[in-house]
Amino acid sequence: DADVTQTPRNRITKTGKRIMLECSQTKGHDRMYWYRQDPGLGLRLIYYSFDVKDINKGEISDGYSVSRQAQAKFSLSLESAIPNQTALYFCATSDSGLAGGQYYEQYFGPGTRLTVT
Amino acid sequence: KQEVTQIPAALSVPEGENLVLNCSFTDSAIYNLQWFRQDPGKGLTSLLLIQSSQREQTSGRLNASLDKSSGRSTLYIAASQPGDSATYLCAVVQGAQKLVFGQGTRLTINP
């Protein structure tokens, strides 16, 4: 089974609808992240969470909200979807800490393709 | 604000050729640099991670170099194979574990 899973894998919704994307991980990591990818662009960070009680905005958080229900679960919500939120959404996880400046590698889920019509 | 650029956006080469993918970044204050591979319908797979104190990393046919002072990294792929066809992304690691990605290079290896 995959370590980082995302549901749904594909979703088509209409403008104005509320939608939730879910991410679950079995890696036991403290840190979780949500990114979006647009055609021809790299991934951009939407929100990140360093533990259950810590939520931080990323580069492009407007129009999105998140919920960290448990260490293993991190959900992304679009309160009122709009067409320019059509994108590929990725969840990622990593271990915690910067001991000695060490970087803890991020592990990515398979992505959710969201289309807003 | 850190900006990461990858050139070219797309590359098509015959099987067996050696090739180089380029990545440049504007702010040299990075922790590390990471190269990923992205296949359609799948997530990102980490290929190589270069610590800021290192100049290169190797894994099989892949070699990545890092020159912080000039803000550049290259990914060298030796003896390319059709299975190497994918989009390759570079990302720099800045404070608080944040990754800043380039837009990617779409690589096609022709049999």
Side-chain angles (χ1 to χ4, degrees), chain A residues 6 15 19 48 58 63 66 69 71 73 76 79 82 90 95 98 101-103 106 108 116:
Chain A
Q6 294 184 234
T15 297
I19 185 170
Y48 61 103
V66 291
Q69 301 95 325
Q71 184 201 38
K73 296 184 181 297
L76 176 71
E79 298 302 325
I82 57 177
F90 287 103
D95 211 336
L98 271 173
Q102 180 181 358
Y103 165 67
Q106 292 185 25
F108 285 78
V116 184

Coordinates of all heavy atoms in Angstrom, one line a residue, chain A residues 6 15 19 48 58 63 66 69 71 73 76 79 82 90 95 98 101-103 106 108 116:
Chain A
Q6 N -4.2 10.0 -1.5 CA -5.0 11.1 -1.7 C -6.4 10.7 -2.2 O -6.4 9.8 -3.1 CB -4.4 12.1 -2.6 CG -3.1 12.8 -2.1 CD -2.5 13.8 -3.0 OE1 -1.4 13.8 -3.4 NE2 -3.4 14.8 -3.4
T15 N -18.6 25.7 -10.3 CA -18.3 26.9 -9.6 C -19.2 27.2 -8.5 O -20.4 27.0 -8.6 CB -18.4 28.1 -10.6 OG1 -17.4 27.9 -11.7 CG2 -18.1 29.4 -10.0
I19 N -15.7 21.9 -1.8 CA -15.1 20.6 -2.0 C -13.9 20.4 -1.1 O -13.2 21.3 -0.7 CB -14.6 20.5 -3.5 CG1 -14.0 19.1 -3.8 CG2 -13.5 21.6 -3.8 CD1 -13.8 18.9 -5.2
Y48 N 0.9 24.4 5.0 CA 1.7 23.3 5.6 C 1.4 23.2 7.1 O 1.0 24.2 7.7 CB 3.2 23.4 5.3 CG 3.8 24.7 5.8 CD1 4.6 24.7 6.9 CD2 3.7 25.9 5.1 CE1 5.3 25.9 7.3 CE2 4.3 27.1 5.5 CZ 5.1 27.1 6.6 OH 5.7 28.2 7.0
G58 N 0.9 29.0 3.1 CA 2.0 29.0 2.1 C 1.9 30.1 1.2 O 1.4 31.2 1.5
G63 N -8.4 31.5 -0.8 CA -9.4 30.7 -1.4 C -9.4 29.2 -0.9 O -10.3 28.4 -1.3
V66 N -7.6 24.5 5.5 CA -7.1 23.2 5.8 C -7.5 22.8 7.1 O -7.9 23.6 8.0 CB -5.6 23.1 5.7 CG1 -5.1 23.2 4.2 CG2 -4.9 24.1 6.6
Q69 N -6.8 16.8 11.1 CA -7.6 16.1 12.0 C -6.9 15.1 12.9 O -7.4 14.8 14.0 CB -8.6 15.2 11.1 CG -9.5 16.0 10.2 CD -9.0 16.1 8.8 OE1 -7.8 16.1 8.6 NE2 -9.9 16.1 7.8
Q71 N -2.6 13.2 13.3 CA -1.2 13.3 12.8 C -1.2 12.7 11.3 O -0.4 13.2 10.5 CB -0.2 12.4 13.6 CG 1.2 12.5 13.1 CD 2.0 11.3 13.6 OE1 1.6 10.2 13.7 NE2 3.3 11.6 14.0
K73 N -3.7 12.7 9.0 CA -4.7 13.2 8.1 C -4.6 14.7 8.0 O -4.6 15.4 9.0 CB -6.1 12.8 8.5 CG -6.3 11.2 8.5 CD -7.7 10.9 8.9 CE -7.9 9.4 8.9 NZ -7.7 8.8 7.5
L76 N -7.7 19.5 2.6 CA -7.7 20.8 2.0 C -9.1 21.1 1.5 O -9.7 20.2 0.8 CB -6.7 20.8 0.8 CG -6.7 22.1 -0.1 CD1 -6.0 23.2 0.7 CD2 -5.9 21.8 -1.4
E79 N -13.6 26.5 -0.3 CA -14.9 26.9 0.3 C -16.0 27.2 -0.8 O -17.1 26.9 -0.7 CB -14.8 28.1 1.2 CG -13.9 27.8 2.4 CD -14.4 26.7 3.3 OE1 -15.6 26.5 3.4 OE2 -13.6 26.0 3.8
I82 N -13.7 28.0 -7.8 CA -13.7 28.9 -9.0 C -12.9 28.2 -10.0 O -12.0 27.4 -9.7 CB -13.2 30.3 -8.7 CG1 -11.8 30.3 -8.1 CG2 -14.2 31.0 -7.8 CD1 -11.3 31.7 -7.8
F90 N -1.3 18.2 -4.9 CA -0.4 17.2 -4.2 C -0.3 17.4 -2.7 O -0.2 18.5 -2.3 CB 1.0 17.2 -4.8 CG 1.1 16.7 -6.2 CD1 1.2 17.5 -7.3 CD2 1.2 15.3 -6.4 CE1 1.4 17.0 -8.5 CE2 1.3 14.8 -7.7 CZ 1.4 15.7 -8.8
D95 N 9.4 14.1 7.8 CA 9.7 14.0 9.3 C 10.0 15.4 9.8 O 10.0 16.4 9.0 CB 11.0 13.1 9.4 CG 11.0 12.3 10.7 OD1 10.3 12.8 11.7 OD2 11.6 11.3 10.8
L98 N 15.1 20.1 12.4 CA 16.2 20.6 11.5 C 17.5 20.4 12.3 O 18.3 21.2 12.3 CB 16.0 22.0 11.2 CG 15.2 22.3 9.9 CD1 14.9 23.8 9.8 CD2 15.9 21.8 8.7
G101 N 20.8 21.2 11.0 CA 20.5 21.7 9.6 C 20.1 20.6 8.7 O 19.9 20.9 7.5
Q102 N 19.8 19.4 9.2 CA 19.4 18.3 8.3 C 18.0 18.6 7.7 O 17.1 19.0 8.4 CB 19.4 17.0 9.0 CG 19.0 15.8 8.2 CD 19.0 14.5 9.0 OE1 19.3 14.5 10.2 NE2 18.6 13.4 8.4
Y103 N 17.9 18.3 6.4 CA 16.6 18.4 5.7 C 16.0 17.1 5.7 O 16.6 16.1 5.4 CB 16.8 19.0 4.3 CG 15.7 18.8 3.4 CD1 14.5 19.5 3.6 CD2 15.7 17.9 2.3 CE1 13.4 19.3 2.8 CE2 14.6 17.7 1.5 CZ 13.5 18.4 1.7 OH 12.4 18.3 0.9
Q106 N 10.7 15.3 1.6 CA 9.3 15.2 1.5 C 8.9 14.1 0.6 O 9.5 13.9 -0.5 CB 8.8 16.6 1.0 CG 8.9 17.7 2.0 CD 8.3 19.0 1.6 OE1 7.4 19.0 0.8 NE2 8.8 20.1 2.1
F108 N 5.7 12.5 -1.6 CA 4.5 13.0 -2.2 C 3.5 11.9 -2.5 O 3.8 10.8 -2.8 CB 4.8 13.7 -3.5 CG 5.5 15.0 -3.4 CD1 6.8 15.1 -3.0 CD2 4.7 16.2 -3.5 CE1 7.4 16.4 -2.8 CE2 5.3 17.4 -3.3 CZ 6.7 17.5 -3.0
V116 N -12.8 22.6 -12.1 CA -13.9 23.4 -11.7 C -14.5 24.0 -13.0 O -13.8 24.8 -13.7 CB -13.5 24.5 -10.7 CG1 -14.7 25.3 -10.3 CG2 -12.7 23.9 -9.6

